[in-house]
Amino acid sequence: MRLPPAIINNTEEVLREILRFTGPADGTLSRYFRDHPKLGSRERGVVAEAVYGLLRNKAVYTSFAESGNGPTMRRMTLLGLADAVGVEALGGLTEEETEWLNHVMQIDRTLLPSLLRSNMPEWLFEKLVARDGEATALELAHAVNQPAPLDLRVNAIKATREDVITALAEAPILCEPTPYAPLGIRIIKKPALQNLPLFKNGSIEVQDEGSQLLSQIVGAKRGEMVVDFCAGAGGKTLSLGAAMRNTGRLYAFDISEKRLAKLKPRLARSGLSNVHPVQIAHENDAKVKRLAGKIDRVLVDAPCSGLGTLRRNPDVKWRQTPQSLVELNEKQASILAGAARLVKAGGRLVYATCSILDEENEAIVAGFLASRDDFVLIPMSEVLAEQKIDLKMDDYLKLSPALHHTDGFFAAVLERKK
């Protein structure tokens, strides 16, 4: 079935705005769809798929768009749409455009230069090649260039994984248990979850398997005092609260009132009553200082480049710069130092990011340990064994989209000496 020619104009219009990279692509798309209510769900799906395909393959498409005639933005748009739905589904093409599209779609992309194939900015690809070698860097680039699956976490205070899998099968929704996270379920195709009774009653939450593992290595237990230091919209907060079996006290700190507001409806569905959302001004807020030395476990999921989430947010690689990384590194070190104050003797501090870059990960931990002789690194191999997670790691948790099929995550577990 052919798409109406207007789809090309819609896609080009929203793409023009997204490629300015003034904000996250998903927010720009949502706003565009709100402003154009006449677009049906199929049309919205096609526009979104074309936009995300183009963000994933921007380097290749920019190169291809340099051939052919007419405005470059239209050619970029046509490439995104052709990849999403095929050339034959596009209405309103000139004969020349059809011929050009058919030609470029047949180019063997494996023969392109490695930087183009990576579809990454040059500074990022060079950094990965310097660290891992070209072959491994290309494997990672290929992995982050695939759309992410949809992972769910079962809320253990409301259901078991087996029960949820059975209920999903009846829906019918194809799914399978995640290989590492004991409460994770991977959905094979992406259904509308918000209409499911399981979602409405809080039995399931959307959470990447890697993020579930981060919550698990915190090791939060019944009756403890725990802080999720950069809680955001609360995915990890909810999994920590369930791990604590709804006992003890769990503080969800964040500087953003908007993000904490998103936690409220999720919290209501979850059935948790041990969670206390707290807005703080910064890592040295008086509300933080009041809890100094009292907390059993602190999770710092630090603000980072987000380069581990490229499967979901491909625009991130084009929005980050070497300079923005330097600013992030200063913030990461400061937040880790601020959060460390909370930890009591014998307590644990988990530093984590969704980044794949050493300067946001090992370097921040090494800097912290060099300045603090009252904290020691607990090897991740020990932590994973404690939690009965079947993953081979050394000192740190390093999850890779290429190896583990999760988002890219890093974590280090630090313990305050008794």
Side-chain angles (χ1 to χ4, degrees):
M1 188 176 133
R2 282 204 153 198
L3 288 162
I7 282 290
I8 296 174
N9 300 335
N10 288 122
T11 308
E12 185 177 342
E13 200 176 0
V14 72
L15 196 58
R16 198 177 290 280
E17 195 177 336
I18 283 170
L19 290 181
R20 291 193 186 108
F21 297 120
T22 52
D26 57 354
T28 305
L29 256 181
S30 299
R31 194 168 61 248
Y32 185 84
F33 292 152
R34 273 199 308 276
D35 295 345
H36 295 77
K38 287 185 179 165
L39 281 173
S41 62
R42 180 170 181 254
E43 283 97 342
R44 285 201 301 272
V46 169
V47 171
E49 200 179 332
V51 164
Y52 275 89
L54 198 134
L55 290 168
R56 288 192 177 97
N57 300 293
K58 182 173 160 286
V60 167
Y61 286 172
T62 304
S63 171
F64 286 177
E66 284 164 5
S67 66
N69 298 316
T72 305
M73 191 59 78
R74 179 171 170 92
R75 291 203 298 280
M76 296 274 278
T77 304
L78 295 180
L79 286 164
L81 285 164
D83 240 7
V85 293
V87 180
E88 58 290 338
L90 298 178
L93 297 181
T94 66
E95 201 174 310
E96 192 181 2
E97 283 173 336
T98 306
E99 202 175 301
W100 172 75
L101 271 177
N102 282 325
H103 167 69
V104 294
M105 283 296 156
Q106 283 164 11
I107 293 172
D108 184 349
R109 298 186 193 184
T110 61
L111 302 176
L112 296 170
S114 53
L115 175 60
L116 265 190
R117 269 184 290 150
S118 78
N119 272 295
M120 284 184 167
E122 191 171 354
W123 69 269
L124 177 57
F125 186 60
E126 283 180 355
K127 208 180 263 287
L128 295 173
V129 170
R131 185 185 71 186
D132 303 328
E134 190 175 282
T136 304
L138 278 171
E139 272 172 35
L140 178 59
H142 177 72
V144 298
N145 218 12
Q146 310 306 311
L150 179 65
D151 290 350
L152 306 177
R153 177 184 58 81
V154 176
N155 179 356
I157 62 171
K158 291 209 167 185
T160 67
R161 180 155 75 169
E162 292 69 30
D163 289 345
V164 170
I165 287 174
T166 304
L168 287 172
E170 286 165 7
I173 292 170
L174 284 176
C175 63
E176 60 192 20
T178 48
Y180 310 114
L183 293 169
I185 293 173
R186 185 154 292 155
I187 303 292
I188 313 299
K189 287 183 179 168
K190 295 184 183 179
L193 285 176
Q194 52 272 36
N195 304 326
L196 290 178
L198 284 170
F199 183 79
K200 289 178 178 170
N201 70 21
S203 296
I204 53 171
E205 270 288 336
V206 174
Q207 190 179 14
D208 179 74
E209 183 182 22
S211 173
Q212 294 181 43
L213 290 170
L214 273 195
S215 306
Q216 207 181 335
I217 63 168
V218 174
K221 296 188 179 79
R222 286 172 181 270
E224 287 187 330
M225 295 260 283
V226 178
V227 170
D228 185 355
F229 201 78
C230 307
K236 295 179 194 70
T237 309
L238 297 176
S239 48
L240 290 169
M244 295 162 74
R245 305 306 292 180
N246 207 11
T247 63
R249 277 180 91 76
L250 171 56
Y251 293 95
F253 285 168
D254 203 273
I255 58 169
S256 165
E257 189 182 355
K258 205 171 173 182
R259 285 197 292 264
L260 287 174
K262 285 183 181 167
L263 168 59
K264 295 219 167 106
R266 298 173 79 183
L267 198 50
R269 278 199 309 271
S270 73
L272 293 173
S273 54
N274 62 340
V275 178
H276 304 273
V278 180
Q279 188 185 354
I280 57 172
H282 43 70
E283 60 270 23
N284 300 313
D285 193 306
K287 294 169 189 165
V288 177
K289 288 179 180 169
R290 275 203 291 273
L291 293 169
K294 294 178 182 172
I295 306 297
D296 295 288
R297 295 169 198 268
V298 178
L299 169 61
V300 176
D301 182 9
C304 69
S305 63
L307 290 166
T309 69
L310 293 180
R311 300 181 308 165
R312 295 166 209 287
N313 308 305
D315 54 312
V316 164
K317 61 187 171 186
W318 309 113
R319 286 182 20 232
Q320 290 295 359
T321 63
Q323 182 50 41
S324 63
L325 274 184
V326 173
E327 290 161 20
L328 278 168
N329 295 157
E330 289 167 11
K331 191 185 282 186
Q332 287 155 348
S334 176
I335 287 172
L336 182 55
R341 290 198 194 112
L342 294 166
V343 186
K344 71 183 194 187
R348 283 191 178 180
L349 171 63
V350 176
Y351 173 79
T353 73
C354 51
S355 173
I356 50 177
L357 298 181
D358 298 354
E359 55 261 55
E360 297 187 82
N361 297 336
E362 294 94 326
I364 299 293
V365 174
F368 174 79
L369 288 171
S371 68
R372 299 289 295 254
D373 57 5
D374 56 337
F375 277 89
V376 291
L377 181 77
I378 305 291
M380 192 54 65
S381 51
E382 274 180 39
V383 178
L384 293 169
E386 275 171 21
Q387 293 298 322
K388 299 182 175 61
I389 299 170
D390 186 18
L391 258 175
K392 298 280 176 284
M393 295 283 161
D394 296 321
D395 282 346
Y396 305 112
L397 181 75
K398 290 165 135 182
L399 294 172
S400 157
L403 296 174
H404 307 105
H405 309 291
T406 62
D407 284 346
F409 277 107
F410 169 89
V413 176
L414 308 162
E415 191 167 278
R416 190 166 210 161
K417 293 176 186 171
K418 284 183 176 159

